[in-house]
Amino acid sequence: RCMRADKRGAISPINSPILDRLNIAPKNWQKLTTQFTSVFHGAVGRPQKLDNYCASLEIKRRANYKQCERLLA
């Protein structure tokens, strides 16, 4: 959705039910939507899902793990 408050469909950062359902803090959501490509490189997801993904591909190094933990956990 649009990040501008004056546009239809904008997500209000305060008491947003969709962000509550996703269990993502509003400040994290803003960072995810405005700086995604500068924050992440490679696979992205909740830490447990990222663990499963890396295990299935037998990848030892988990890129983005700390960022995923901080923004998506």
Side-chain angles (χ1 to χ4, degrees):
R1 291 201 175 167
C2 185
M3 295 301 296
R4 292 179 46 187
D6 64 331
K7 294 291 186 179
R8 188 175 83 103
I11 297 175
S12 170
I14 301 170
N15 297 330
S16 176
I18 192 164
L19 295 180
D20 290 341
R21 282 196 315 257
L22 295 173
N23 196 25
I24 298 176
K27 68 178 184 167
N28 291 349
W29 176 253
Q30 186 170 11
K31 184 166 185 113
L32 286 168
T33 56
T34 58
Q35 301 172 9
F36 189 87
T37 57
S38 64
V39 173
F40 296 108
H41 307 285
V44 176
R46 298 215 184 257
Q48 184 173 354
K49 297 292 184 181
L50 196 56
D51 286 338
N52 295 343
Y53 173 76
C54 290
S56 70
L57 294 178
E58 298 178 359
I59 298 172
K60 302 268 187 232
R61 186 172 181 268
R62 299 171 300 185
N64 302 319
Y65 193 80
K66 287 291 181 189
Q67 291 290 7
C68 290
E69 212 172 34
R70 186 171 64 84
L71 297 171
L72 300 171

